[in-house]
Amino acid sequence: MNLSRSLWAPAAAVMLCVTAWGQQQAPPFAVGDVFLAIGTSRVARYSPEGTLIQVMTSDITSLETTGMAFDRAGNLYATHFQGNRIARFDNRGTYLGPFGILFDRSPESIAMDIDGNFYVGQADGNQDVVKLNAAGVDQVLIELGYGD
């Protein structure tokens, strides 16, 4: 029996499966999916049953990923606290790039209104709320007067 030949076939099958799976696109976000900010610019997506579907990553350097919101198209927006940016993912979890402005300091929360505008709360710095339109253009700075 040729041992090297018998070990090669299963190894090739495993490599083929890993390569094919790695190239597959994740399914679109679905009602009931659970999204968890897991830090270091990552968001984990789980099925309603608790099965990990994917881990989404951006190129924004930040130890903490904090707030999240969805737009009408199902795109996900995640705030990156130390990175002072927001990451935008399409409805399959593909990173589309940063969204909006470079924030004053520590964007933490994000919400969308009925007109498609986003409101981003900054935890540090001036602690103001920034209003962005759907394209990410800074519309209004809502000064709360709590900042330094």
Side-chain angles (χ1 to χ4, degrees):
M1 174 178 183
N2 184 339
L3 186 57
S4 63
R5 178 187 242 169
S6 62
L7 292 176
W8 184 86
V14 168
M15 287 296 289
L16 185 61
C17 290
V18 169
T19 302
W21 182 81
Q23 292 174 352
Q24 287 181 344
Q25 212 178 19
F29 299 161
V31 173
D33 284 355
V34 177
F35 296 82
L36 299 173
I38 57 175
T40 60
S41 305
R42 298 176 302 151
V43 175
R45 174 182 167 206
Y46 291 87
S47 72
E49 296 78 29
T51 304
L52 178 64
I53 297 171
Q54 71 185 127
V55 175
M56 295 168 270
T57 305
S58 76
D59 62 358
I60 300 169
T61 303
S62 183
L63 294 175
E64 297 177 55
T65 304
T66 49
M68 288 182 269
F70 293 91
D71 65 15
R72 292 185 188 134
N75 297 315
L76 173 67
Y77 299 79
T79 61
H80 293 290
F81 198 75
Q82 289 94 357
N84 294 316
R85 299 302 303 254
I86 296 173
R88 188 173 107 177
F89 301 91
D90 70 11
N91 71 348
R92 290 181 177 267
T94 302
Y95 177 59
L96 300 175
F99 175 77
I101 62 172
L102 181 60
F103 291 88
D104 171 68
R105 186 118 182 255
S106 309
E108 184 171 27
S109 56
I110 183 169
M112 189 182 87
D113 69 16
I114 196 165
D115 296 321
N117 298 303
F118 290 90
Y119 296 84
V120 181
Q122 300 180 98
D124 296 322
N126 61 22
Q127 297 180 339
D128 293 334
V129 174
V130 177
K131 179 181 177 184
L132 305 171
N133 67 14
V137 177
D138 184 8
Q139 298 295 296
V140 177
L141 180 66
I142 303 167
E143 294 184 30
L144 300 177
Y146 300 125
D148 18 338

